[in-house]
Amino acid sequence: MQAASSKWSQWVNGNAVLEFIDVTLRGCAQVMFQNNPLTGLLFFAAIFVGAFAEGHPAVAFGCVLGTVAATFTGMNLKDRASWKAGLYGYNGCLVGVGLPTFLDPTPTLWLCIILASVVSVIVTLCIADILKTWKVAALTAPFVLVTWTMLLASYAFGGLSSNELPVPNLPHDLVAYNPNLFDGIDLFHATFYGISEVFLLSTVVGSLLFLAGLAVSSLWAALFGLLGSFLAVLVATLLQAEHSSINNGLYAFSAVLTAIALGSTFNKPRLRVLIYTVIGVIFTVFVQGALNTVLGPIGIPTLTMPFVLASWLFLVPNKDVMPAHRQ
Amino acid sequence: MQAASSKWSQWVNGNAVLEFIDVTLRGCAQVMFQNNPLTGLLFFAAIFVGAFAEGHPAVAFGCVLGTVAATFTGMNLKDRASWKAGLYGYNGCLVGVGLPTFLDPTPTLWLCIILASVVSVIVTLCIADILKTWKVAALTAPFVLVTWTMLLASYAFGGLSSNELPVPNLPHDLVAYNPNLFDGIDLFHATFYGISEVFLLSTVVGSLLFLAGLAVSSLWAALFGLLGSFLAVLVATLLQAEHSSINNGLYAFSAVLTAIALGSTFNKPRLRVLIYTVIGVIFTVFVQGALNTVLGPIGIPTLTMPFVLASWLFLVPNKDVMPAHRQ
Amino acid sequence: MQAASSKWSQWVNGNAVLEFIDVTLRGCAQVMFQNNPLTGLLFFAAIFVGAFAEGHPAVAFGCVLGTVAATFTGMNLKDRASWKAGLYGYNGCLVGVGLPTFLDPTPTLWLCIILASVVSVIVTLCIADILKTWKVAALTAPFVLVTWTMLLASYAFGGLSSNELPVPNLPHDLVAYNPNLFDGIDLFHATFYGISEVFLLSTVVGSLLFLAGLAVSSLWAALFGLLGSFLAVLVATLLQAEHSSINNGLYAFSAVLTAIALGSTFNKPRLRVLIYTVIGVIFTVFVQGALNTVLGPIGIPTLTMPFVLASWLFLVPNKDVMPAHRQ
């Protein structure tokens, strides 16, 4: 595999088209923090499997369009190192998944995907400039902010219609379930859908492809992602969240990203990190519940904002908590 | 004209009252980024024309009161250069327009205009201190935040009543219009009202005075403002926003400021800047639609926040996007 | 008293258990900015008096649990000076008061208090790191953000139930009262409840204990707290806020903290500071009304956020406004 990987690098360096494909694949892989074109290829495969299985091919094509548009935009910027690592592409990738998931596939939508992907690069630069002060990454905040803007705007624009957005509603208390907390909970599907729901898809085959994509780049990332999903499902079950949301992985996908970020990307795995990550994952479940309530009246989904907020919260003071972090 | 302008400078330097008037006029002009007392005079004229034509004289007098109160407050601060340029006055100017537009003209209201103008200077200092880190200006954020606070508080206070605030409402989808998108759209009025709506007024004569005020200070600013308004009206029409909102310039006024800011104030006009400005203006229309949805349930208007958000977003990474910006 | 205090210091330095108690007491005192264990003891006494008088013993025990859990968490961090001053404890103290005030005292709640107190330390580090850039303190923002998260999440989780949260509601205009503004206003109780409501309690005896606790540490703090409460009640009365809210001190508790912070903690009392503090207190009342409106649709209380927002607003530019501040 290493031989193949080094050969690929050689080809890429000599050819602008291959390089663009390489960076586009890395863009997709960076959704889960991996700088690896093979990971990106497996992720794209997972997205196509999931999107077609759900009867939403527009999601798969939108994903390709968004990643390409964002990668193309990023090519015109000064920071080539970030571009080559796919760091301008991953938010466009998610924008391209997110918009067709919630909005009807009209010609206006495709133009919006292109615009949103271009703007996601500007938001990435903006947030990176701001967060540089505290040495924290933009994570998927550009995707969330741009997609929220478009989804919110769709309520004001007749040209953007939707049958998939949550109906705007004031919060109301959830009635507690029966005493046996695990009745009606499908731990297996909840955990695996938690992984594919990072890309807004419910697909077990896709989840296995996502885990394979993570594993070829980092075994720790695959492990933390899977365990993060499982832990989040457990916590949401104990707190008695809505069963259908738990079973669809909707309390787990942000936790997957929190677990990978805190446990393997921005820290080296060890005991203190593990404890910190567990607290972070548990708190992500609370942030998910809280954001569901906050966004209820304006009728938009949380997307991966619970992950972004919880991870920023835990990453800013990371150096204060991890004494040996500098070694 | 230059002779007159230099004579004015001489008078101003020798006389505290004239200097105060000069700075107050510049405060009004800075709403559209111009440091020019003649611009301010033409702007005040436009505001009086518009306010009286709409039967809202309190708006004109509030505007004068707010600008004077803010300018007076700023006089007590250390930074004389910012004060002389009118940079402590423009938010008070808008506060003085905004509050009487939405709240009934009682004695309590006039006290609130004074308080809000004083606080707008403190907010200006606060935001300027924060944004200094990323070399970005406060724009009209102090106006928006202070006015939002007062308008929101008016729901809780019997002493502040209103018949003009939007009725709090959960968002609901807009039904698409007929296939001919431009039916019922009045491009001329929409574009010109877009300019005067920066000061919350719908007046064609006022708009011409605003454009004249811009032109005596910067022809580029006048041009970008007018074209920004027109482009925003086109985009909102293609996206099928509500017709009455488009025709009253409500999708254009933030775009006017975005166009002037990105195209002429913080960049020197050239091709790359033009493209960036066009993207910024188009995105401002989406932010306008999104903020309309977000603020719906709490019953307040967006004011110029779409401009502030879109322009901050595009100005923070300005240096990353404009390679030759430093020359 | 000074002899007793110095003896206490000697004991504390030689004994880990006594030190932990000392820091826990200081944590409670830091809710009102005092670094003094005797203040903390009087504050705890006030909380027990108030909580038992209201028939909510869980609030008193939650408060102890929260302060201990946060102090214990902070003990594991590098910054010993902040820990010894109780700066990692006060948000846990308020979390422990806030959660049982609004949520039913189930086993899940007690686990949530521990989790929220631990996370409040992480939020304290995070906000302190961010605000360091502008030399401003985190104030009670960590308490508010963590408690809001849990309260919002309680709508999504059947395992967290509440009968005390405000019913989610769209804002509607308040009808003005009769011409005699002070009819139905109880200035005495409103002012004293304003002090104890910092800890979400309505108790006159408790308020006197809180004032005593302040006075043993700083007479200025006690004076500013009392006058801040009185001024806020006056302003809310003139603005014709809801009578029951005024009489329960709900327009005053944030103003108490603003007054202590601006008038005595971060400035040395003198005329310019007094004027600044008065403006800050008046504006805090508007922020209180505004936040009531904003949070109405999502059904959570403001907690001390009006204080946090108003004080950050006035503290960031403090150095620009106070010319002799450095001497």
Side-chain angles (χ1 to χ4, degrees), chain B residues 16-35:
Chain B
V17 174
L18 278 185
E19 187 186 37
F20 192 89
I21 293 172
D22 177 76
V23 175
T24 304
L25 293 173
R26 287 174 198 268
C28 186
Q30 285 286 8
V31 170
M32 292 199 188
F33 309 103
Q34 308 308 316
N35 181 5

mmCIF file with all atom_site columns, all heavy atoms in Angstrom, chain B residues 16-35:
data_model
loop_
_atom_site.group_PDB
_atom_site.id
_atom_site.type_symbol
_atom_site.label_atom_id
_atom_site.label_alt_id
_atom_site.label_comp_id
_atom_site.label_asym_id
_atom_site.label_entity_id
_atom_site.label_seq_id
_atom_site.pdbx_PDB_ins_code
_atom_site.Cartn_x
_atom_site.Cartn_y
_atom_site.Cartn_z
_atom_site.occupancy
_atom_site.B_iso_or_equiv
_atom_site.pdbx_formal_charge
_atom_site.auth_seq_id
_atom_site.auth_comp_id
_atom_site.auth_asym_id
_atom_site.auth_atom_id
_atom_site.pdbx_PDB_model_num
ATOM 1   N N   . ALA B 1 16 ? -14.919 76.131 18.385 1.00 0.00 ? 16 ALA B N   1
ATOM 2   C CA  . ALA B 1 16 ? -15.386 74.868 18.953 1.00 0.00 ? 16 ALA B CA  1
ATOM 3   C C   . ALA B 1 16 ? -16.795 74.509 18.489 1.00 0.00 ? 16 ALA B C   1
ATOM 4   O O   . ALA B 1 16 ? -17.102 73.337 18.262 1.00 0.00 ? 16 ALA B O   1
ATOM 5   C CB  . ALA B 1 16 ? -15.344 74.939 20.488 1.00 0.00 ? 16 ALA B CB  1
ATOM 6   N N   . VAL B 1 17 ? -17.659 75.532 18.349 1.00 0.00 ? 17 VAL B N   1
ATOM 7   C CA  . VAL B 1 17 ? -19.030 75.251 17.920 1.00 0.00 ? 17 VAL B CA  1
ATOM 8   C C   . VAL B 1 17 ? -19.043 74.742 16.477 1.00 0.00 ? 17 VAL B C   1
ATOM 9   O O   . VAL B 1 17 ? -19.691 73.743 16.145 1.00 0.00 ? 17 VAL B O   1
ATOM 10  C CB  . VAL B 1 17 ? -19.913 76.506 18.062 1.00 0.00 ? 17 VAL B CB  1
ATOM 11  C CG1 . VAL B 1 17 ? -21.298 76.244 17.486 1.00 0.00 ? 17 VAL B CG1 1
ATOM 12  C CG2 . VAL B 1 17 ? -20.006 76.936 19.521 1.00 0.00 ? 17 VAL B CG2 1
ATOM 13  N N   . LEU B 1 18 ? -18.325 75.451 15.619 1.00 0.00 ? 18 LEU B N   1
ATOM 14  C CA  . LEU B 1 18 ? -18.256 75.014 14.217 1.00 0.00 ? 18 LEU B CA  1
ATOM 15  C C   . LEU B 1 18 ? -17.634 73.623 14.111 1.00 0.00 ? 18 LEU B C   1
ATOM 16  O O   . LEU B 1 18 ? -18.066 72.803 13.309 1.00 0.00 ? 18 LEU B O   1
ATOM 17  C CB  . LEU B 1 18 ? -17.442 76.010 13.387 1.00 0.00 ? 18 LEU B CB  1
ATOM 18  C CG  . LEU B 1 18 ? -18.187 77.250 12.908 1.00 0.00 ? 18 LEU B CG  1
ATOM 19  C CD1 . LEU B 1 18 ? -17.288 78.070 12.001 1.00 0.00 ? 18 LEU B CD1 1
ATOM 20  C CD2 . LEU B 1 18 ? -19.468 76.867 12.161 1.00 0.00 ? 18 LEU B CD2 1
ATOM 21  N N   . GLU B 1 19 ? -16.616 73.384 14.944 1.00 0.00 ? 19 GLU B N   1
ATOM 22  C CA  . GLU B 1 19 ? -15.990 72.061 14.903 1.00 0.00 ? 19 GLU B CA  1
ATOM 23  C C   . GLU B 1 19 ? -17.010 70.983 15.281 1.00 0.00 ? 19 GLU B C   1
ATOM 24  O O   . GLU B 1 19 ? -17.082 69.931 14.639 1.00 0.00 ? 19 GLU B O   1
ATOM 25  C CB  . GLU B 1 19 ? -14.798 72.000 15.869 1.00 0.00 ? 19 GLU B CB  1
ATOM 26  C CG  . GLU B 1 19 ? -14.015 70.705 15.725 1.00 0.00 ? 19 GLU B CG  1
ATOM 27  C CD  . GLU B 1 19 ? -12.921 70.546 16.770 1.00 0.00 ? 19 GLU B CD  1
ATOM 28  O OE1 . GLU B 1 19 ? -13.128 70.957 17.931 1.00 0.00 ? 19 GLU B OE1 1
ATOM 29  O OE2 . GLU B 1 19 ? -11.863 70.009 16.411 1.00 0.00 ? 19 GLU B OE2 1
ATOM 30  N N   . PHE B 1 20 ? -17.808 71.265 16.304 1.00 0.00 ? 20 PHE B N   1
ATOM 31  C CA  . PHE B 1 20 ? -18.807 70.286 16.718 1.00 0.00 ? 20 PHE B CA  1
ATOM 32  C C   . PHE B 1 20 ? -19.807 70.020 15.595 1.00 0.00 ? 20 PHE B C   1
ATOM 33  O O   . PHE B 1 20 ? -20.189 68.873 15.325 1.00 0.00 ? 20 PHE B O   1
ATOM 34  C CB  . PHE B 1 20 ? -19.530 70.775 17.982 1.00 0.00 ? 20 PHE B CB  1
ATOM 35  C CG  . PHE B 1 20 ? -20.364 69.709 18.625 1.00 0.00 ? 20 PHE B CG  1
ATOM 36  C CD1 . PHE B 1 20 ? -19.817 68.857 19.572 1.00 0.00 ? 20 PHE B CD1 1
ATOM 37  C CD2 . PHE B 1 20 ? -21.692 69.526 18.257 1.00 0.00 ? 20 PHE B CD2 1
ATOM 38  C CE1 . PHE B 1 20 ? -20.580 67.859 20.153 1.00 0.00 ? 20 PHE B CE1 1
ATOM 39  C CE2 . PHE B 1 20 ? -22.464 68.528 18.828 1.00 0.00 ? 20 PHE B CE2 1
ATOM 40  C CZ  . PHE B 1 20 ? -21.900 67.697 19.776 1.00 0.00 ? 20 PHE B CZ  1
ATOM 41  N N   . ILE B 1 21 ? -20.220 71.101 14.923 1.00 0.00 ? 21 ILE B N   1
ATOM 42  C CA  . ILE B 1 21 ? -21.143 70.935 13.787 1.00 0.00 ? 21 ILE B CA  1
ATOM 43  C C   . ILE B 1 21 ? -20.477 70.109 12.682 1.00 0.00 ? 21 ILE B C   1
ATOM 44  O O   . ILE B 1 21 ? -21.072 69.188 12.113 1.00 0.00 ? 21 ILE B O   1
ATOM 45  C CB  . ILE B 1 21 ? -21.580 72.315 13.259 1.00 0.00 ? 21 ILE B CB  1
ATOM 46  C CG1 . ILE B 1 21 ? -22.451 73.010 14.321 1.00 0.00 ? 21 ILE B CG1 1
ATOM 47  C CG2 . ILE B 1 21 ? -22.335 72.170 11.936 1.00 0.00 ? 21 ILE B CG2 1
ATOM 48  C CD1 . ILE B 1 21 ? -22.785 74.452 13.986 1.00 0.00 ? 21 ILE B CD1 1
ATOM 49  N N   . ASP B 1 22 ? -19.231 70.429 12.409 1.00 0.00 ? 22 ASP B N   1
ATOM 50  C CA  . ASP B 1 22 ? -18.478 69.700 11.375 1.00 0.00 ? 22 ASP B CA  1
ATOM 51  C C   . ASP B 1 22 ? -18.429 68.205 11.700 1.00 0.00 ? 22 ASP B C   1
ATOM 52  O O   . ASP B 1 22 ? -18.714 67.361 10.841 1.00 0.00 ? 22 ASP B O   1
ATOM 53  C CB  . ASP B 1 22 ? -17.052 70.263 11.303 1.00 0.00 ? 22 ASP B CB  1
ATOM 54  C CG  . ASP B 1 22 ? -16.173 69.531 10.326 1.00 0.00 ? 22 ASP B CG  1
ATOM 55  O OD1 . ASP B 1 22 ? -16.325 69.751 9.105  1.00 0.00 ? 22 ASP B OD1 1
ATOM 56  O OD2 . ASP B 1 22 ? -15.351 68.707 10.775 1.00 0.00 ? 22 ASP B OD2 1
ATOM 57  N N   . VAL B 1 23 ? -18.101 67.900 12.953 1.00 0.00 ? 23 VAL B N   1
ATOM 58  C CA  . VAL B 1 23 ? -17.979 66.482 13.338 1.00 0.00 ? 23 VAL B CA  1
ATOM 59  C C   . VAL B 1 23 ? -19.341 65.798 13.308 1.00 0.00 ? 23 VAL B C   1
ATOM 60  O O   . VAL B 1 23 ? -19.460 64.626 12.928 1.00 0.00 ? 23 VAL B O   1
ATOM 61  C CB  . VAL B 1 23 ? -17.317 66.362 14.728 1.00 0.00 ? 23 VAL B CB  1
ATOM 62  C CG1 . VAL B 1 23 ? -17.297 64.913 15.185 1.00 0.00 ? 23 VAL B CG1 1
ATOM 63  C CG2 . VAL B 1 23 ? -15.897 66.905 14.677 1.00 0.00 ? 23 VAL B CG2 1
ATOM 64  N N   . THR B 1 24 ? -20.387 66.533 13.700 1.00 0.00 ? 24 THR B N   1
ATOM 65  C CA  . THR B 1 24 ? -21.735 65.960 13.643 1.00 0.00 ? 24 THR B CA  1
ATOM 66  C C   . THR B 1 24 ? -22.116 65.616 12.203 1.00 0.00 ? 24 THR B C   1
ATOM 67  O O   . THR B 1 24 ? -22.685 64.548 11.925 1.00 0.00 ? 24 THR B O   1
ATOM 68  C CB  . THR B 1 24 ? -22.751 66.947 14.252 1.00 0.00 ? 24 THR B CB  1
ATOM 69  O OG1 . THR B 1 24 ? -22.350 67.271 15.586 1.00 0.00 ? 24 THR B OG1 1
ATOM 70  C CG2 . THR B 1 24 ? -24.147 66.355 14.268 1.00 0.00 ? 24 THR B CG2 1
ATOM 71  N N   . LEU B 1 25 ? -21.803 66.540 11.270 1.00 0.00 ? 25 LEU B N   1
ATOM 72  C CA  . LEU B 1 25 ? -22.099 66.270 9.862  1.00 0.00 ? 25 LEU B CA  1
ATOM 73  C C   . LEU B 1 25 ? -21.315 65.062 9.355  1.00 0.00 ? 25 LEU B C   1
ATOM 74  O O   . LEU B 1 25 ? -21.851 64.197 8.650  1.00 0.00 ? 25 LEU B O   1
ATOM 75  C CB  . LEU B 1 25 ? -21.769 67.501 9.013  1.00 0.00 ? 25 LEU B CB  1
ATOM 76  C CG  . LEU B 1 25 ? -22.658 68.728 9.247  1.00 0.00 ? 25 LEU B CG  1
ATOM 77  C CD1 . LEU B 1 25 ? -22.129 69.930 8.467  1.00 0.00 ? 25 LEU B CD1 1
ATOM 78  C CD2 . LEU B 1 25 ? -24.100 68.432 8.839  1.00 0.00 ? 25 LEU B CD2 1
ATOM 79  N N   . ARG B 1 26 ? -20.028 65.007 9.732  1.00 0.00 ? 26 ARG B N   1
ATOM 80  C CA  . ARG B 1 26 ? -19.224 63.855 9.317  1.00 0.00 ? 26 ARG B CA  1
ATOM 81  C C   . ARG B 1 26 ? -19.792 62.566 9.913  1.00 0.00 ? 26 ARG B C   1
ATOM 82  O O   . ARG B 1 26 ? -19.744 61.510 9.285  1.00 0.00 ? 26 ARG B O   1
ATOM 83  C CB  . ARG B 1 26 ? -17.774 64.026 9.779  1.00 0.00 ? 26 ARG B CB  1
ATOM 84  C CG  . ARG B 1 26 ? -17.003 65.069 8.977  1.00 0.00 ? 26 ARG B CG  1
ATOM 85  C CD  . ARG B 1 26 ? -15.613 65.311 9.562  1.00 0.00 ? 26 ARG B CD  1
ATOM 86  N NE  . ARG B 1 26 ? -15.054 66.561 9.081  1.00 0.00 ? 26 ARG B NE  1
ATOM 87  C CZ  . ARG B 1 26 ? -14.279 66.655 7.993  1.00 0.00 ? 26 ARG B CZ  1
ATOM 88  N NH1 . ARG B 1 26 ? -13.973 65.591 7.320  1.00 0.00 ? 26 ARG B NH1 1
ATOM 89  N NH2 . ARG B 1 26 ? -13.838 67.840 7.607  1.00 0.00 ? 26 ARG B NH2 1
ATOM 90  N N   . GLY B 1 27 ? -20.323 62.642 11.138 1.00 0.00 ? 27 GLY B N   1
ATOM 91  C CA  . GLY B 1 27 ? -20.948 61.468 11.756 1.00 0.00 ? 27 GLY B CA  1
ATOM 92  C C   . GLY B 1 27 ? -22.060 60.932 10.892 1.00 0.00 ? 27 GLY B C   1
ATOM 93  O O   . GLY B 1 27 ? -22.154 59.712 10.650 1.00 0.00 ? 27 GLY B O   1
ATOM 94  N N   . CYS B 1 28 ? -22.895 61.820 10.370 1.00 0.00 ? 28 CYS B N   1
ATOM 95  C CA  . CYS B 1 28 ? -23.988 61.381 9.501  1.00 0.00 ? 28 CYS B CA  1
ATOM 96  C C   . CYS B 1 28 ? -23.434 60.768 8.214  1.00 0.00 ? 28 CYS B C   1
ATOM 97  O O   . CYS B 1 28 ? -23.917 59.738 7.742  1.00 0.00 ? 28 CYS B O   1
ATOM 98  C CB  . CYS B 1 28 ? -24.905 62.572 9.205  1.00 0.00 ? 28 CYS B CB  1
ATOM 99  S SG  . CYS B 1 28 ? -26.377 62.119 8.280  1.00 0.00 ? 28 CYS B SG  1
ATOM 100 N N   . ALA B 1 29 ? -22.390 61.397 7.661  1.00 0.00 ? 29 ALA B N   1
ATOM 101 C CA  . ALA B 1 29 ? -21.804 60.906 6.410  1.00 0.00 ? 29 ALA B CA  1
ATOM 102 C C   . ALA B 1 29 ? -21.168 59.525 6.575  1.00 0.00 ? 29 ALA B C   1
ATOM 103 O O   . ALA B 1 29 ? -21.141 58.728 5.632  1.00 0.00 ? 29 ALA B O   1
ATOM 104 C CB  . ALA B 1 29 ? -20.757 61.905 5.903  1.00 0.00 ? 29 ALA B CB  1
ATOM 105 N N   . GLN B 1 30 ? -20.659 59.241 7.788  1.00 0.00 ? 30 GLN B N   1
ATOM 106 C CA  . GLN B 1 30 ? -19.966 57.973 8.007  1.00 0.00 ? 30 GLN B CA  1
ATOM 107 C C   . GLN B 1 30 ? -20.913 56.770 7.980  1.00 0.00 ? 30 GLN B C   1
ATOM 108 O O   . GLN B 1 30 ? -20.461 55.625 7.930  1.00 0.00 ? 30 GLN B O   1
ATOM 109 C CB  . GLN B 1 30 ? -19.217 57.995 9.351  1.00 0.00 ? 30 GLN B CB  1
ATOM 110 C CG  . GLN B 1 30 ? -17.938 58.821 9.344  1.00 0.00 ? 30 GLN B CG  1
ATOM 111 C CD  . GLN B 1 30 ? -16.787 58.155 8.606  1.00 0.00 ? 30 GLN B CD  1
ATOM 112 O OE1 . GLN B 1 30 ? -16.965 57.119 7.961  1.00 0.00 ? 30 GLN B OE1 1
ATOM 113 N NE2 . GLN B 1 30 ? -15.621 58.765 8.668  1.00 0.00 ? 30 GLN B NE2 1
ATOM 114 N N   . VAL B 1 31 ? -22.229 57.010 8.024  1.00 0.00 ? 31 VAL B N   1
ATOM 115 C CA  . VAL B 1 31 ? -23.167 55.902 7.861  1.00 0.00 ? 31 VAL B CA  1
ATOM 116 C C   . VAL B 1 31 ? -22.880 55.173 6.549  1.00 0.00 ? 31 VAL B C   1
ATOM 117 O O   . VAL B 1 31 ? -23.010 53.954 6.453  1.00 0.00 ? 31 VAL B O   1
ATOM 118 C CB  . VAL B 1 31 ? -24.623 56.393 7.893  1.00 0.00 ? 31 VAL B CB  1
ATOM 119 C CG1 . VAL B 1 31 ? -25.586 55.289 7.490  1.00 0.00 ? 31 VAL B CG1 1
ATOM 120 C CG2 . VAL B 1 31 ? -24.978 56.916 9.276  1.00 0.00 ? 31 VAL B CG2 1
ATOM 121 N N   . MET B 1 32 ? -22.463 55.966 5.535  1.00 0.00 ? 32 MET B N   1
ATOM 122 C CA  . MET B 1 32 ? -22.062 55.350 4.266  1.00 0.00 ? 32 MET B CA  1
ATOM 123 C C   . MET B 1 32 ? -20.556 55.503 4.045  1.00 0.00 ? 32 MET B C   1
ATOM 124 O O   . MET B 1 32 ? -20.110 55.625 2.903  1.00 0.00 ? 32 MET B O   1
ATOM 125 C CB  . MET B 1 32 ? -22.874 55.932 3.112  1.00 0.00 ? 32 MET B CB  1
ATOM 126 C CG  . MET B 1 32 ? -24.354 55.554 3.151  1.00 0.00 ? 32 MET B CG  1
ATOM 127 S SD  . MET B 1 32 ? -25.131 55.789 1.527  1.00 0.00 ? 32 MET B SD  1
ATOM 128 C CE  . MET B 1 32 ? -26.867 55.503 1.926  1.00 0.00 ? 32 MET B CE  1
ATOM 129 N N   . PHE B 1 33 ? -19.775 55.548 5.120  1.00 0.00 ? 33 PHE B N   1
ATOM 130 C CA  . PHE B 1 33 ? -18.308 55.484 5.067  1.00 0.00 ? 33 PHE B CA  1
ATOM 131 C C   . PHE B 1 33 ? -17.630 56.742 4.536  1.00 0.00 ? 33 PHE B C   1
ATOM 132 O O   . PHE B 1 33 ? -16.476 56.676 4.127  1.00 0.00 ? 33 PHE B O   1
ATOM 133 C CB  . PHE B 1 33 ? -17.819 54.315 4.205  1.00 0.00 ? 33 PHE B CB  1
ATOM 134 C CG  . PHE B 1 33 ? -18.423 53.007 4.541  1.00 0.00 ? 33 PHE B CG  1
ATOM 135 C CD1 . PHE B 1 33 ? -19.416 52.458 3.759  1.00 0.00 ? 33 PHE B CD1 1
ATOM 136 C CD2 . PHE B 1 33 ? -18.025 52.322 5.673  1.00 0.00 ? 33 PHE B CD2 1
ATOM 137 C CE1 . PHE B 1 33 ? -19.981 51.250 4.071  1.00 0.00 ? 33 PHE B CE1 1
ATOM 138 C CE2 . PHE B 1 33 ? -18.590 51.105 5.985  1.00 0.00 ? 33 PHE B CE2 1
ATOM 139 C CZ  . PHE B 1 33 ? -19.573 50.554 5.192  1.00 0.00 ? 33 PHE B CZ  1
ATOM 140 N N   . GLN B 1 34 ? -18.315 57.894 4.501  1.00 0.00 ? 34 GLN B N   1
ATOM 141 C CA  . GLN B 1 34 ? -17.664 59.087 3.957  1.00 0.00 ? 34 GLN B CA  1
ATOM 142 C C   . GLN B 1 34 ? -17.280 60.034 5.092  1.00 0.00 ? 34 GLN B C   1
ATOM 143 O O   . GLN B 1 34 ? -18.072 60.308 5.985  1.00 0.00 ? 34 GLN B O   1
ATOM 144 C CB  . GLN B 1 34 ? -18.596 59.803 2.962  1.00 0.00 ? 34 GLN B CB  1
ATOM 145 C CG  . GLN B 1 34 ? -19.154 58.887 1.881  1.00 0.00 ? 34 GLN B CG  1
ATOM 146 C CD  . GLN B 1 34 ? -18.076 58.103 1.147  1.00 0.00 ? 34 GLN B CD  1
ATOM 147 O OE1 . GLN B 1 34 ? -17.038 58.643 0.775  1.00 0.00 ? 34 GLN B OE1 1
ATOM 148 N NE2 . GLN B 1 34 ? -18.315 56.799 0.980  1.00 0.00 ? 34 GLN B NE2 1
ATOM 149 N N   . ASN B 1 35 ? -16.044 60.550 5.015  1.00 0.00 ? 35 ASN B N   1
ATOM 150 C CA  . ASN B 1 35 ? -15.540 61.501 5.998  1.00 0.00 ? 35 ASN B CA  1
ATOM 151 C C   . ASN B 1 35 ? -15.590 62.890 5.379  1.00 0.00 ? 35 ASN B C   1
ATOM 152 O O   . ASN B 1 35 ? -14.565 63.437 4.962  1.00 0.00 ? 35 ASN B O   1
ATOM 153 C CB  . ASN B 1 35 ? -14.110 61.094 6.379  1.00 0.00 ? 35 ASN B CB  1
ATOM 154 C CG  . ASN B 1 35 ? -13.517 62.009 7.414  1.00 0.00 ? 35 ASN B CG  1
ATOM 155 O OD1 . ASN B 1 35 ? -14.193 62.911 7.924  1.00 0.00 ? 35 ASN B OD1 1
ATOM 156 N ND2 . ASN B 1 35 ? -12.259 61.793 7.731  1.00 0.00 ? 35 ASN B ND2 1
#
